[in-house]
Amino acid sequence: MKQFSGKRSIQILGYLLKEYGIFDVVISPGSRNAPLAIHFSEMDELNCYSIVDERSAGFVALGMAQSLKKPVAVTSTSGSAAANYYPAVTEAFFQNTPILILTADRPTDYVDLFDGQTIRQKDLYHQHSYGDFQLLEDEKEDADEENFNIIKKAIETCFERQGPVHINIPLAEPLYELVSELPKLPPVEKTIRKPQFEFTPNFPADWNTAKRIMILVGTRDHSEELEMQLSQLVKNHSVVVLKEANSNLRQEKFFGHIDRYIFNFTDEDYKTYAPDLLITIGQNVVSKKVKQFLRNAKPENHWHIDEFWHPDTFFSLSEKIKTTPEKFFAKMLNFIKLEPSAYYNLWDVLRDKKDAKHAEYCLTTPFSDFKFFEILAAKLPKNINLHISNSSAIRYAQLFDFPNNNIYCNRGTSGIDGSTSTAMGYAMKSPVQTLLVTGEISFFYDINGLWNNYIPPYTRIIIFNNGGGDIFKIIPGPSSTNALDEFIMTTHHKNAEHLAKHFGFGYTKVDEEETLIRVLNNFFKADEKPKILEVDTSEIENAEILKEYFKFLK
């Protein structure tokens, strides 16, 4: 016999989740949210996942939502448990990934009375959510009708804004009253709004008068439609399209490896290669150098195309185009001229020169983090999902080609704290193999990302262990201080062998090139459990090898 929660607010919540097609719920175990856990786990329509560590659970939900391309719910008990979702909430907010945060709470009268596990949960994520809602307690007048409308509004906001939305749920004791039958609830009239976009003649007019058009694509999912549209734009060498690794664009005429081309730009180069019309697509840009270049270039016009965000990243924003790039270019292609441009040829000559230098340097590079990414790019199987952690990992990935893989990286806030959990959440909902490539500091920081009973056996993790946060030897500044080793890059001598065994992963460690190549030949093949490969470069001067690479490109 089914045993549902007797709390009417939870019955309404479960009903509306089902009606809107939110079928996946991450549950962080606890007592105050027991009514939600009891109720959701008894609903045949919902898939429930128990993730103990709330910080990890938030990122697991984020990864699941990335994989599903639809909202995922996550629920915790009250107090600091709810606060531990905050890192994942900020990441979801800035990358527009829809998660519905359901925090159980003490009754409203108990706030600020120093009752156990009671904090100010109402509007807890206000600065980084697209909606903040609080339910009425069942005992309040008109609670059922009010809560139905509140939950409906919250869910629709999550769909409309494609980002985190918070519902705080005060629950009075008793928490464990159960019922075997549910009340009949009214049908749902869905009112999810779709954004409207007005295309004006000014767009093609400004395009057709521009001489130097650049399109920069940052973080975004792969889109076949956008790929085809941008390919039409570059077919006759009309525009320059700069792409980052996690822009998930594959056309060979697009310019990847941006840092390779612009790292040593002088003030004169900024002028020489500057666009007069800059069009940006996608969200956070990894390359600090391209930000520096475009801020110095001061383009006459800068259009940013996005449904939600229009940041003035390059201090020259002139048009906020509030739609998807696919919808925008579907219209633009009917009106614009696609003529060969000297501007494309200028960049193409630069690319040929720098790519040749890159290939020459790779021939002499010793075993190192740099060499590892070169080998990985050559050995990675087609069509697997590639998750890359922040710091040096995504920066190395920018230098090589991964043309047959979807690439993900948490660039919303660019933190290292949830890379493993996000990748595991993604893997849980993907039928395709997922690989996480991560530095060891990011991996150790998110160890509980492996405390998860739902990780598919075809999941793979590669850790490149350089003995500390090597990024701080790469970027200018930290190396000049006495605090570098202990307090900035956190030098250590740890490895992941015992962690892999503890969490039931296969484990292999390599510390030289030939063994790495041999291991990678079999690493992605089917196995009965997920696997970790640790690439030990801790005795290598990785930062110096990377610095020498950029000197060599001159």
Side-chain angles (χ1 to χ4, degrees):
M1 179 185 295
K2 294 284 187 181
Q3 291 186 311
F4 300 103
S5 172
K7 297 288 187 185
R8 293 192 305 277
S9 60
I10 307 308
Q11 295 170 2
I12 295 168
L13 176 60
Y15 170 73
L16 288 172
L17 290 177
K18 177 189 69 173
E19 288 297 300
Y20 279 92
I22 300 176
F23 299 129
D24 294 279
V25 183
V26 176
I27 299 173
S28 302
S31 181
R32 189 58 49 165
N33 66 331
L36 290 88
I38 291 166
H39 194 83
F40 294 162
S41 62
E42 290 288 273
M43 292 180 64
D44 293 333
E45 299 87 355
L46 300 190
N47 308 307
C48 296
Y49 305 88
S50 176
I51 305 294
V52 176
D53 181 333
E54 284 86 7
R55 188 180 73 183
S56 177
F59 282 105
V60 168
L62 174 76
M64 292 170 68
Q66 285 179 352
S67 184
L68 292 166
K69 307 294 186 285
K70 60 184 287 189
V72 169
V74 57
T75 178
S76 75
T77 191
S78 62
S80 59
N84 280 319
Y85 283 155
Y86 213 128
V89 172
T90 61
E91 181 62 35
F93 180 73
F94 286 110
Q95 66 171 252
N96 283 104
T97 298
I99 56 175
L100 188 66
I101 310 108
L102 311 172
T103 55
D105 200 358
R106 260 49 179 183
T108 54
D109 293 344
Y110 281 61
V111 176
D112 289 348
L113 296 184
F114 280 34
D115 203 51
Q117 292 183 279
T118 307
I119 65 172
R120 299 175 182 180
Q121 281 181 213
K122 184 180 180 182
D123 300 333
L124 179 61
Y125 315 108
H126 176 66
Q127 290 291 324
H128 296 93
S129 67
Y130 289 101
D132 302 277
F133 301 87
Q134 174 142 319
L135 300 190
L136 300 180
E137 294 155 57
D138 283 357
E139 298 74 20
K140 303 291 185 182
E141 186 177 356
D142 298 325
D144 287 3
E145 182 179 353
E146 286 289 322
N147 284 339
F148 190 98
N149 291 329
I150 290 169
I151 296 167
K152 179 178 182 294
K153 175 64 175 175
I155 291 175
E156 293 193 345
T157 301
C158 194
F159 275 99
E160 288 170 0
R161 301 302 302 275
Q162 288 294 292
V165 170
H166 176 212
I167 304 177
N168 194 48
I169 309 169
L171 294 169
E173 297 181 15
L175 301 173
Y176 296 90
E177 287 186 327
L178 305 174
V179 297
S180 58
E181 294 185 8
L182 296 175
K184 186 172 179 60
L185 293 170
V188 181
E189 182 184 352
K190 297 177 182 176
T191 55
I192 297 173
R193 297 168 297 177
K194 295 184 179 179
Q196 300 298 313
F197 163 61
E198 182 181 354
F199 186 86
T200 70
N202 293 341
F203 295 132
D206 288 346
W207 176 291
N208 288 328
T209 57
K211 302 297 184 185
R212 301 154 69 89
I213 302 172
M214 173 181 286
I215 300 173
L216 170 63
V217 188
T219 304
R220 61 169 287 117
D221 287 342
H222 176 65
S223 166
E224 289 286 352
E225 184 179 1
L226 181 62
E227 184 94 34
M228 292 175 62
Q229 290 167 336
L230 296 183
S231 295
Q232 285 183 259
L233 297 178
V234 301
K235 185 177 181 181
N236 293 327
H237 299 179
S238 300
V239 304
V240 170
V241 176
L242 301 184
K243 62 173 184 174
E244 295 213 295
N246 55 333
S247 69
N248 288 299
L249 294 172
R250 287 90 187 258
Q251 233 280 0
E252 291 184 356
K253 288 187 177 181
F254 302 158
F255 292 79
H257 324 301
I258 302 170
D259 280 0
R260 187 190 299 175
Y261 308 136
I262 70 174
F263 184 81
N264 295 309
F265 266 14
T266 63
D267 289 342
E268 190 60 34
D269 290 328
Y270 289 143
K271 297 175 184 177
T272 301
Y273 292 91
D276 52 21
L277 172 58
L278 170 66
I279 301 172
T280 50
I281 299 169
Q283 297 185 333
N284 199 303
V285 173
V286 176
S287 171
K288 190 173 182 179
K289 285 295 177 183
V290 83
K291 293 175 188 175
Q292 183 180 352
F293 161 50
L294 291 172
R295 285 168 182 170
N296 279 276
K298 296 180 174 60
E300 295 174 24
N301 289 296
H302 171 203
W303 306 347
H304 186 71
I305 309 171
D306 192 82
E307 288 183 287
F308 309 106
W309 285 98
H310 300 90
D312 190 7
T313 305
F314 309 109
F315 311 145
S316 57
L317 188 65
S318 55
E319 286 285 350
K320 300 177 181 180
I321 302 175
K322 298 179 181 181
T323 189
T324 65
E326 292 88 347
K327 290 178 182 177
F328 178 77
F329 285 113
K331 291 185 178 294
M332 280 289 280
L333 283 165
N334 295 318
F335 301 103
I336 57 177
K337 301 173 186 176
L338 297 178
E339 299 174 348
S341 164
Y343 187 53
Y344 180 95
N345 293 332
L346 177 73
W347 276 87
D348 203 28
V349 169
L350 177 66
R351 171 166 56 183
D352 288 346
K353 175 184 175 183
K354 299 294 185 179
D355 284 358
K357 297 287 281 185
H358 169 85
E360 185 180 349
Y361 188 82
C362 287
L363 293 174
T364 62
T365 313
F367 183 70
S368 57
D369 290 348
F370 185 97
K371 179 60 72 173
F372 157 65
F373 274 90
E374 179 194 346
I375 293 169
L376 179 67
K379 289 287 185 180
L380 194 64
K382 293 181 179 180
N383 301 320
I384 71 171
N385 301 308
L386 176 57
H387 278 251
I388 302 174
S389 71
N390 275 303
S391 281
S392 57
I394 187 61
R395 288 168 173 82
Y396 277 113
Q398 294 270 80
L399 302 177
F400 298 94
D401 287 309
F402 300 91
N404 302 303
N405 308 98
N406 289 322
I407 298 178
Y408 299 87
C409 181
N410 281 348
R411 294 304 296 181
T413 61
S414 307
I416 68 167
D417 42 357
S419 297
T420 302
S421 294
T422 303
M424 296 307 100
Y426 192 102
M428 287 161 56
K429 301 307 296 185
S430 176
V432 178
Q433 187 172 59
T434 297
L435 167 67
L436 168 66
V437 177
T438 176
E440 86 286 358
I441 296 295
S442 179
F443 176 77
F444 292 145
Y445 196 85
D446 193 21
I447 289 169
N448 279 349
L450 303 188
W451 190 3
N452 178 327
N453 295 324
Y454 316 99
I455 299 171
Y458 47 81
T459 304
R460 298 290 181 266
I461 298 174
I462 301 180
I463 306 164
F464 62 104
N465 186 340
N466 49 41
D470 209 57
I471 184 67
F472 297 109
K473 288 185 178 179
I474 296 170
I475 62 176
S479 295
S480 64
T481 75
N482 295 327
L484 176 66
D485 288 348
E486 184 174 1
F487 297 111
I488 298 177
M489 69 167 289
T490 57
T491 302
H492 67 88
H493 300 284
K494 295 177 172 60
N495 65 54
E497 181 177 4
H498 295 296
L499 287 170
K501 182 178 180 181
H502 179 71
F503 287 109
F505 279 64
Y507 176 81
T508 305
K509 179 181 177 181
V510 301
D511 59 7
E512 53 90 24
E513 185 173 336
E514 289 185 7
T515 307
L516 173 61
I517 294 171
R518 186 173 67 250
V519 169
L520 283 175
N521 287 333
N522 298 303
F523 182 66
F524 298 99
K525 293 180 180 178
D527 205 329
E528 61 184 14
K529 57 185 178 182
K531 293 193 286 190
I532 292 174
L533 168 62
E534 187 162 15
V535 182
D536 184 357
T537 64
S538 57
E539 300 301 318
I540 309 296
E541 291 296 332
N542 293 289
E544 291 305 312
I545 290 170
L546 186 61
K547 289 175 183 177
E548 287 300 316
Y549 168 76
F550 284 111
K551 290 179 184 177
F552 189 81
L553 292 177
K554 287 184 179 180

